[in-house]
């Protein structure tokens, strides 16, 4: 039986991951933690909740020593657009929290899942079918912390034998918790606005192509990689994963299949456009498929249908 700790558990990914982990391993085996408790009701039915600042080494150590998880999903972080507004804070949160989690996991022998991102690539990375192993010179502070995080997780594995594993997530689209300040947030907002107002103004241009994935596929991938046989994993810490490579126009076309009157317009957001332009158009996820059986279920239209159905039910 697994005992699992999730840091950053009240965020977009954590709040849905905790629910799924509880279904799988039992609520009594899940500990969720965050620096805040405003959305605590989201995880309360599925876990024991503890407030902890992941940048504080002592608080992380106390958490892990008290609950003795065998697996830690470390999700506490600052996302790309918010990171660019406060680069030093992003470095402090994204790096110090990771060091703290890795150190306590080394002491207590936990396996650790750490998400990287397509933000770990940069303008000199090949843009099409971006390989698993390639040039990584990101130009955002978020990307810098993600590359450093991938390397640090590799280091803890090779140097100390810690069972670190991870994926490079594309933009994630969900109908539950709202996104936390990323460059791909438009791909969530567009569905809420479609239901509420029948129209949306995108902050990324019509032809900005990025990888995306529906949240149920992301949650499945996170559980699958931590349950996989590690002897087959050559890349371990930063598997490219994706379900679709799409533009705002593609999402609008998909929404129009269900809501023909939907209208998409555009406005400028220089910072987020620059970040998006520095990321790949499409990444190659073949290593994840071959080494631990990654296989997303949702394509764009299946995701659009589910997003529109779920959001309209919630807003009734
Ligand atoms: N959501 C995406 O599209 C996406 C894509 C690629 C990678 N990722 C990565 O996945 C991870 C989780 O992302 P998310 O979308 O759930 O982010 P989010 O912003 O929704 O949630 C992050 C959570 O971390 C918490 N947090 C911040 N500082 C903390 C601290 N010092 N101590 C404890 N908790 C703290 C926040 O309160 C928040 O609940 C991040 O590493 C992110 O970079 C997310």
């Amino acid at each position: 039986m697994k005992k699992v700790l999730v840091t950053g558990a009240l965020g977009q990914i954590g709040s849905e991951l905790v629910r799924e982990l509880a279904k799988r391993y039992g609520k009594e085996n899940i500990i969720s933690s965050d620096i805040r408790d405003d959305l605590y009701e989201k995880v309360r039915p599925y876990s024991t909740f503890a407030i902890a600042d992941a940048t504080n080494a002592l608080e992380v150590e106390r958490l892990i020593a008290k609950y003795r998880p065998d697996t830690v999903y470390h999700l506490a972080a600052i996302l790309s657009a918010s990171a660019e507004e406060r680069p030093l804070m992003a470095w402090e949160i994204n790096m110090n929290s990771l060091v703290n989690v890795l150190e306590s996991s080394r002491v207590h022998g936990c396996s650790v899942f750490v998400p990287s991102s397509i933000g770990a690539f940069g303008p000199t990375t090949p843009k099409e079918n971006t390989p698993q192993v390639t040039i990584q010179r990101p130009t955002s502070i978020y990307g810098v912390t993600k590359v450093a995080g991938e390397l640090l997780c590799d280091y803890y594995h090779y140097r100390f034998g810690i069972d670190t594993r991870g994926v490079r997530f594309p933009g994630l689209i969900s109908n539950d918790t709202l996104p936390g300040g990323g460059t791909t947030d438009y791909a969530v907002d567009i569905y809420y606005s479609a239901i509420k107002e029948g129209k949306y103004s995108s902050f990324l241009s019509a032809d900005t192509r990025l990888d995306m994935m529906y949240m149920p596929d992301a949650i499945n991938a996170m559980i699958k990689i931590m349950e996989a046989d590690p002897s087959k994993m050559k890349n371990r810490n930063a598997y490219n994963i994706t379900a679709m490579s799409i533009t705002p126009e593609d999402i609008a076309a998909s929404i129009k299949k269900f809501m023909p009157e939907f209208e998409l317009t555009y406005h400028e957001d220089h910072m987020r456009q620059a970040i998006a332009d520095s990321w790949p158009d499409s990444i190659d996820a073949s290593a994840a498929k071959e080494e631990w059986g990654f296989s997303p279920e949702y394509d764009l239209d299946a995701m659009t249908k589910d997003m529109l159905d779920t959001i309209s039910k919630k807003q009734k």
Side-chain angles (χ1 to χ4, degrees):
M1 178 66 77
K2 273 187 183 276
K3 191 155 193 195
V4 184
L5 167 67
V6 180
T7 72
L10 300 184
Q12 193 197 9
I13 300 177
S15 52
E16 294 198 40
L17 176 68
V18 165
R19 204 165 54 212
E20 208 49 46
L21 290 171
K23 267 193 218 156
R24 211 168 174 94
Y25 306 121
K27 168 191 168 165
E28 64 285 2
N29 290 313
I30 313 301
I31 301 101
S32 54
S33 171
D34 207 291
I35 195 168
R36 61 195 171 108
D37 65 359
D38 55 326
L39 293 175
Y40 150 70
E41 290 301 328
K42 278 198 153 231
V43 296
R44 191 160 76 129
Y46 311 106
S47 62
T48 301
F49 180 74
I51 288 203
D53 176 358
T55 63
N56 183 318
L58 199 60
E59 290 188 22
V60 173
E61 173 54 25
R62 280 198 192 124
L63 198 59
I64 292 183
K66 178 171 177 188
Y67 292 104
R68 294 298 180 117
D70 51 55
T71 303
V72 181
Y73 283 90
H74 177 49
L75 306 181
I78 297 289
L79 269 65
S80 54
S82 310
E84 221 46 56
E85 279 161 20
R86 301 178 71 183
L88 287 183
M89 191 182 84
W91 177 264
E92 149 95 9
I93 293 177
N94 292 4
M95 296 317 301
N96 291 0
S97 71
L98 177 58
V99 171
N100 294 340
V101 165
L102 288 172
E103 262 307 292
S104 288
S105 298
R106 179 179 71 76
V107 172
H108 297 281
C110 314
S111 298
V112 189
F113 173 91
V114 180
S116 185
S117 155
I118 52 170
F121 298 119
T124 50
T125 303
K127 262 195 165 326
E128 304 290 335
N129 207 27
T130 304
Q132 174 64 42
V133 179
T134 186
I135 300 163
Q136 290 184 266
R137 308 286 294 176
T139 45
S140 68
I141 186 67
Y142 178 70
V144 171
T145 66
K146 287 299 178 191
V147 177
E150 290 181 7
L151 294 174
L152 197 62
C153 290
D154 280 349
Y155 177 75
Y156 267 74
H157 176 64
Y158 295 124
R159 178 74 173 78
F160 303 118
I162 304 303
D163 181 17
T164 51
R165 308 182 192 189
V167 299
R168 292 185 188 122
F169 277 131
L172 298 180
I173 298 168
S174 70
N175 53 44
D176 192 341
T177 307
L178 290 171
T183 301
T184 52
D185 290 3
Y186 90 83
V188 177
D189 301 341
I190 193 170
Y191 289 106
Y192 280 88
S193 288
I195 295 293
K196 218 168 152 191
E197 296 169 44
K199 60 182 181 180
Y200 180 66
S201 175
S202 167
F203 58 76
L204 294 184
S205 64
D207 57 349
T208 306
R209 182 169 292 284
L210 291 168
D211 282 287
M212 304 272 178
M213 192 184 316
Y214 199 30
M215 191 60 88
D217 283 330
I219 302 295
N220 280 340
M222 293 169 83
I223 294 175
K224 195 163 197 173
I225 191 174
M226 294 316 282
E227 289 187 343
D229 173 1
S231 67
K232 298 199 180 99
M233 289 188 186
K234 293 188 211 119
N235 296 280
R236 264 193 175 270
N237 281 311
Y239 283 94
N240 286 358
I241 62 169
T242 182
M244 56 196 97
S245 156
I246 51 175
T247 64
E249 289 284 284
D250 293 334
I251 301 185
S254 180
I255 292 175
K256 278 184 187 162
K257 289 182 189 165
F258 305 93
M259 299 177 60
E261 70 292 354
F262 176 72
E263 274 174 47
L264 179 62
T265 54
Y266 296 91
H267 66 275
E268 294 260 338
D269 178 333
H270 292 292
M271 198 239 312
R272 285 197 275 201
Q273 187 66 52
I275 295 175
D277 289 343
S278 75
W279 290 356
D281 288 355
S282 65
I283 60 174
D284 171 19
S286 55
K289 289 179 182 162
E290 283 156 24
E291 293 175 32
W292 50 275
F294 166 68
S295 62
E297 284 179 13
Y298 285 86
D299 64 13
L300 176 56
D301 286 342
M303 175 178 79
T304 296
K305 182 171 184 326
D306 199 56
M307 284 293 283
L308 295 175
D309 286 350
T310 314
I311 296 168
S312 45
K313 270 185 214 139
K314 269 204 286 191
Q315 294 196 347
K316 267 182 194 153

